[in-house]
Amino acid sequence: MRFTKRPHNQGGTERPVTARFLGISIRTLEKHRTYGTGPTYRKIGGRIVYALPDLQGWAENGIRRSTTDETPCRVFPARPLTPAEKATL
């Protein structure tokens, strides 16, 4: 029987690669997913997979040029959101 190699990345990244890409720990990424403050993910079988455009879009929500910049988007911390924060989503 002949086996073919499965492509390592079929359009999505798994947690360790995703955490490295975002510059956060795997645990922080898990907390973001638990609290609903992180990037959009897909659950395929038992695996959590992130699409690169979703990661880039989520990271771009935090772009600032100055500490005084006010933008409509925000990357929330990995914790439960307050009612006021939920209202801004």
Side-chain angles (χ1 to χ4, degrees), residues 6-86:
R6 187 182 86 177
H8 175 68
N9 185 347
Q10 297 181 6
T13 62
E14 294 181 6
R15 292 176 308 144
V17 176
T18 300
R20 214 170 318 130
F21 174 80
L22 294 173
I24 60 177
S25 71
I26 294 172
R27 182 68 183 126
T28 300
L29 182 62
E30 290 170 351
K31 286 180 182 180
H32 274 298
R33 190 174 66 250
T34 300
Y35 298 132
T37 58
T40 303
Y41 67 93
R42 288 141 182 86
K43 189 159 187 177
I44 301 171
R47 293 177 29 215
I48 302 295
V49 180
Y50 296 86
L52 187 57
D54 293 335
L55 297 177
Q56 291 169 329
W58 182 75
E60 285 180 11
N61 285 341
I63 289 177
R64 304 288 188 278
R65 292 179 188 236
S66 164
T67 56
T68 59
D69 277 358
E70 291 187 27
T71 59
C73 296
R74 177 177 171 195
V75 175
F76 289 99
R79 61 169 171 70
L81 297 179
T82 66
E85 289 171 332
K86 285 182 182 178

